Amino acid sequence: MTTGIPIIYNFPLAGVASSFTESIFAGKIIVVVLIFGSIIAWSIMVSKLKELKHATSVSQRFLQHYRREDHPLNLFLGQKKFSGSPVYDIYEKACVAIAAETDKSSRPGAGGLFARTDAANMRLSRQQMEYIRNLAERNVADHALLLEVNMGYLASTVSSAPLLGLLGTVWGVMESFGAIAITGTATLSAVAPGISGALLTTVVGILVALPSAIGFNWITNRIRGLCVEMDNFAQEFTADIQRHLGTE
């Protein structure tokens, strides 16, 4: 004796397969394109979230170490590295620029450019301070652009997937009514398969766009937070350099 439970559980999958089979050729192409686009969107979201998680974690560690030091150049002089942190990269490039401005080493950034005692006695002119500040701000902008790489694709997926699905639905419905006009048959059994296949593209388009929209907003907020952190550090670092190395 059979029960209705297997039929209930298998109906959605069977219905999707049946709708795909009944879709016109253009509708099948659209479904395949949407599925392929969804795979790319998920790959971008997963990799971007891992990247942001690592960058945020390392940046927090760097800021904790930086704020425990009594001089802004101590971490650089001690050759402590925080790979993967955009905040540390801004710091390192600014320190290299300071080393180049003081003209103490022919290999800036090598770690042995000057001693801690020299750093305490160094002074930067107002023009040099302005150069360091502008350099830090440019690096913040550069890293912001790097963090937003591939976000345009996610935004395009969110906006275009439902429209692409709607295109497939309208196209399929148009083909179904065209077939009815030719055959002169307007029974439900004749119309339903074509309409079902046409609606499949809209369903797939929404299923692709919805997680992409959630992921896009979540990642955008994480990027915005990291950009604010970079901008705040750039201002904090230049203020520390002004206090320790600036001329009166």
Side-chain angles (χ1 to χ4, degrees):
M1 180 177 179
T2 61
T3 65
I5 295 178
I7 297 176
I8 293 175
Y9 284 159
N10 291 332
F11 174 75
L13 184 59
V16 170
S18 176
S19 297
F20 183 80
T21 302
E22 297 294 338
S23 296
I24 61 174
F25 180 74
K28 293 177 181 178
I29 294 297
I30 289 175
V31 169
V32 171
V33 169
L34 287 171
I35 293 174
F36 181 72
S38 178
I39 293 173
I40 297 177
W42 275 100
S43 300
I44 292 173
M45 288 189 289
V46 171
S47 62
K48 187 65 69 174
L49 285 173
K50 287 182 178 179
E51 175 190 346
L52 291 172
K53 182 180 179 180
H54 177 71
T56 302
S57 175
V58 179
S59 295
Q60 290 296 328
R61 286 208 323 269
F62 163 70
L63 289 173
Q64 291 173 2
H65 282 78
Y66 173 81
R67 288 164 182 162
R68 285 200 296 260
E69 298 290 340
D70 56 2
H71 195 283
L73 296 179
N74 281 351
L75 286 179
F76 182 65
L77 296 174
Q79 303 185 54
K80 291 184 179 179
K81 302 289 185 179
F82 296 85
S83 300
S85 166
V87 180
Y88 171 76
D89 189 66
I90 293 168
Y91 168 79
E92 185 179 41
K93 289 179 179 177
C95 290
V96 170
I98 292 172
E101 287 297 312
T102 56
D103 197 26
K104 295 291 184 178
S105 173
S106 60
R107 294 189 305 120
L113 55 154
F114 42 71
R116 290 173 185 258
T117 55
D118 295 331
N121 298 323
M122 282 193 320
R123 289 295 178 266
L124 295 175
S125 67
R126 184 172 300 177
Q127 291 79 9
Q128 289 173 321
M129 281 299 310
E130 189 65 24
Y131 169 73
I132 299 301
R133 182 178 293 105
N134 291 337
L135 176 68
E137 291 176 354
R138 288 198 304 271
N139 286 330
V140 169
D142 289 342
H143 276 288
L145 290 176
L146 288 175
L147 290 173
E148 292 177 356
V149 169
N150 293 326
M151 292 302 292
Y153 178 84
L154 277 183
S156 298
T157 301
V158 171
S159 60
S160 63
L163 294 177
L164 192 59
L166 182 60
L167 172 64
T169 295
V170 173
W171 198 337
V173 170
M174 184 175 63
E175 290 283 341
S176 296
F177 281 110
I180 292 173
I182 294 174
T183 60
T185 305
T187 61
L188 182 62
S189 59
V191 176
I195 300 299
S196 175
L199 292 173
L200 177 64
T201 57
T202 296
V203 173
V204 175
I206 293 174
L207 290 177
V208 171
L210 186 59
S212 299
I214 296 172
F216 176 82
N217 292 330
W218 191 8
I219 293 171
T220 300
N221 288 333
R222 296 285 296 271
I223 291 175
R224 186 182 297 113
L226 194 53
C227 288
V228 170
E229 192 171 70
M230 290 189 296
D231 188 55
N232 289 342
F233 173 75
Q235 297 182 36
E236 177 184 354
F237 177 72
T238 53
D240 290 341
I241 292 297
Q242 177 68 48
R243 185 170 62 253
H244 286 84
L245 306 179
T247 56
E248 297 295 337

